[in-house]
Amino acid sequence: MACGAQGTRENSAALRQQNQSEYRQLLEEAFQLSFTLDFDRLRRAYVASPEYNPYGGVKLKGLPEAYSAVEQAEFDTCLRSVDQVLEYNYMSLEAHMIGVVCSGQAGDFDREDLHRYMVEGLMTSIENSGDGRTQASAFQTISTSELRGFVRLKGLQVLDQSIVYDKQGIYDKMQVRDPESGEEYPLFFNVSEQFASGGAEEE
């Protein structure tokens, strides 16, 4: 039994190392703004890696400060806070979203390109995962920060929010309003990854 348990632990550690290597390899492509990077694969590798963080909001150190700095037009301070977030979670859609604004305002256009590359790649990956109109066609999101960033970038107002369960997964149901058209409708996000990784307490 002991040998079997040890073998299982060793296999698990080897798998984590392999997943870490894949995520880091794909992240290097992201740093180079690769035109061929598969963002679906990058997001999957991130979830499988030991670095996966299902949280957003206050649990991403530096993110509240980045929001505050951009609201006060303190763009250099904003970028320092964005760096703080990305050091621990380079997959934060919210941090890259804020980074686009602050780097553009600060005149750092190379950095703006880097953040915009990540925003466009992550958004396209989410948009290609479904249409969000039903549980069966829910958008697949891998973190609270990603979900919140997606809704913000779509310019939607959240009117209500609830968690829905079925045999296929766990969903965040958001009643949203389009400010331009006035249309109100539900959007579904599959948040099973967050719940499986202990990210259920922060919504």
Side-chain angles (χ1 to χ4, degrees), residues 62-82:
L63 192 57
E65 291 82 1
Y67 272 118
S68 176
V70 73
E71 287 171 2
Q72 300 189 30
E74 297 173 351
F75 301 118
D76 290 335
T77 301
C78 170
L79 291 174
R80 285 195 293 272
S81 295
V82 166

Side-chain angles (χ1 to χ4, degrees), residues 125-162:
S125 180
I126 300 169
E127 288 169 338
N128 288 343
S129 69
D131 63 16
R133 293 306 180 111
T134 68
Q135 287 168 222
S137 63
F139 291 120
Q140 303 286 324
T141 54
I142 61 173
S143 73
T144 307
S145 179
E146 188 175 84
L147 189 160
R148 287 177 172 170
F150 182 86
V151 172
R152 282 178 180 268
L153 283 165
K154 287 295 185 182
L156 300 171
Q157 297 175 345
V158 178
L159 304 176
D160 193 22
Q161 184 176 9
S162 59

Side-chain angles (χ1 to χ4, degrees), residues 35-189:
F35 289 112
T36 59
L37 176 59
D38 184 339
F39 273 85
D40 293 343
R41 185 181 169 202
L42 173 63
R43 290 167 73 231
R44 287 195 301 269
Y46 172 55
V47 170
S49 80
E51 295 182 51
Y52 177 51
N53 182 346
Y55 298 108
V58 295
K59 296 211 174 185
L60 279 180
K61 188 177 180 182
L63 192 57
E65 291 82 1
Y67 272 118
S68 176
V70 73
E71 287 171 2
Q72 300 189 30
E74 297 173 351
F75 301 118
D76 290 335
T77 301
C78 170
L79 291 174
R80 285 195 293 272
S81 295
V82 166
D83 284 339
Q84 192 175 23
V85 177
L86 297 182
E87 180 181 355
Y88 294 101
N89 183 3
Y90 198 78
M91 298 293 286
S92 171
L93 176 57
E94 284 183 288
H96 286 294
M97 174 184 74
I98 298 169
V100 169
V101 176
C102 292
S103 54
Q105 291 292 328
D108 189 342
F109 301 117
D110 287 340
R111 176 164 179 164
E112 182 183 10
D113 288 343
L114 184 150
H115 290 305
R116 193 178 301 280
Y117 168 84
M118 288 300 296
V119 168
E120 291 177 353
L122 293 171
M123 287 292 288
T124 298
S125 180
I126 300 169
E127 288 169 338
N128 288 343
S129 69
D131 63 16
R133 293 306 180 111
T134 68
Q135 287 168 222
S137 63
F139 291 120
Q140 303 286 324
T141 54
I142 61 173
S143 73
T144 307
S145 179
E146 188 175 84
L147 189 160
R148 287 177 172 170
F150 182 86
V151 172
R152 282 178 180 268
L153 283 165
K154 287 295 185 182
L156 300 171
Q157 297 175 345
V158 178
L159 304 176
D160 193 22
Q161 184 176 9
S162 59
I163 297 297
V164 182
Y165 301 82
D166 69 15
K167 292 181 180 179
Q168 279 66 50
I170 304 171
Y171 307 87
D172 200 331
K173 178 183 178 183
M174 287 192 171
Q175 189 69 20
V176 299
R177 179 178 181 273
D178 184 334
E180 291 187 7
S181 67
E183 181 185 4
E184 297 181 10
Y185 53 91
L187 275 184
F188 292 88
F189 297 85

